[in-house]
Amino acid sequence: QDVEALENQGGLRGRTDLPPNTYVGTDGGTQNYTSSSKSLAAFGQANLHFTDWLTLVAGGRYTDDEVGGSYFFSDDPRFNFVGPHPADVSREATASDFTYKAALQIQATDDIMFYGGYAEGYKAPAIGTSAGAAREVLPETVDSYEIGMKSQFFDRRLTLNVALFKQDFENMQTTTIVFQPDGNFLTVLDNAKGVESKGAELDASLRVTDDL
């Protein structure tokens, strides 16, 4: 995947001592951003039936990633520019990871199945770019735990699913605000050290008739 984007900004920002059509500040003109990512992966999953009612679900995935990002400034002929041009920047990052999942399924009856499992997750690194700055954002990983029940009743007219889950994220990729000495701020992509998500889900549907 290769992406190119540009951004134009113009104005006086409240200044009255400059002629019309003048850029102010250290960002403006045409800000050009590029990003690239190359991801290769091999993965597979299998079910092992110990008995008619007990099944092990196991899978694995190996992923190799290369990412890049850049920023460069170009003049916009519609405006004059005040201040230095932001520096051109570019950066690349690589990462690889192996993740897996394992879950047990217990088919208690023809209509009720209980399960519980663990899975790892991985998100590729990224390059966060802003005017004159490029930073490497670390890969995001997660440990996910889930137990639950899936069921259908009354000739499969009633579906009832229940789940309890907990997810522990490390280096979650998120947008943050960095304040500058001049009082302005940049919105940048960064890592949160850790995030925990946990909760319960209930999903139910009832087919009252063939049309409802």
Side-chain angles (χ1 to χ4, degrees):
Q1 175 176 273
D2 295 293
V3 179
E4 296 181 1
L6 59 87
E7 179 181 278
N8 295 89
Q9 295 181 357
L12 298 179
R13 290 190 181 177
R15 296 279 294 274
T16 59
D17 57 335
L18 297 174
N21 297 333
T22 301
Y23 270 119
V24 297
T26 58
D27 57 349
T30 301
Q31 301 184 90
N32 304 271
Y33 300 90
T34 69
S35 68
S36 63
S37 64
K38 180 181 179 181
S39 182
L40 301 175
F43 52 91
Q45 180 171 302
N47 295 347
L48 177 59
H49 302 285
F50 294 112
T51 69
D52 292 340
W53 54 270
L54 181 61
T55 301
L56 171 66
V57 181
R61 177 186 179 100
Y62 177 81
T63 308
D64 186 84
D65 290 300
E66 299 177 8
V67 298
S70 69
Y71 165 88
F72 61 93
F73 177 89
S74 58
D75 289 315
D76 188 327
R78 297 175 298 172
F79 298 94
N80 299 315
F81 187 85
V82 175
H85 289 188
D88 296 346
V89 293
S90 64
R91 196 160 182 171
E92 296 180 344
T94 61
S96 59
D97 195 73
F98 176 77
T99 55
Y100 69 93
K101 64 176 292 185
L104 282 176
Q105 296 180 351
I106 300 174
Q107 195 71 43
T109 70
D110 290 342
D111 297 320
I112 302 176
M113 186 267 286
F114 297 97
Y115 69 92
Y118 166 81
E120 294 180 332
Y122 157 83
K123 182 186 290 186
I127 303 298
T129 55
S130 57
R135 66 173 63 195
E136 179 180 346
V137 183
L138 299 175
E140 174 186 316
T141 59
V142 60
D143 296 311
S144 177
Y145 308 86
E146 183 173 337
I147 60 173
M149 178 194 73
K150 295 182 181 294
S151 61
Q152 291 183 313
F153 304 99
F154 308 118
D155 194 24
R156 297 191 174 186
R157 289 184 176 272
L158 173 64
T159 298
L160 182 63
N161 300 324
V162 180
L164 300 175
F165 65 89
K166 182 176 182 291
Q167 298 173 326
D168 295 315
F169 293 87
E170 184 175 350
N171 293 321
M172 173 176 271
Q173 297 175 3
T174 185
T175 302
T176 61
I177 293 177
V178 179
F179 287 93
Q180 304 298 297
D182 61 2
N184 292 317
F185 63 86
L186 296 176
T187 302
V188 299
L189 186 65
D190 205 349
N191 293 109
K193 184 176 180 180
V195 174
E196 182 183 82
S197 175
K198 56 186 177 181
E201 289 185 0
L202 173 63
D203 176 34
S205 64
L206 176 62
R207 184 162 54 92
V208 182
T209 69
D210 290 342
D211 301 315
L212 177 62

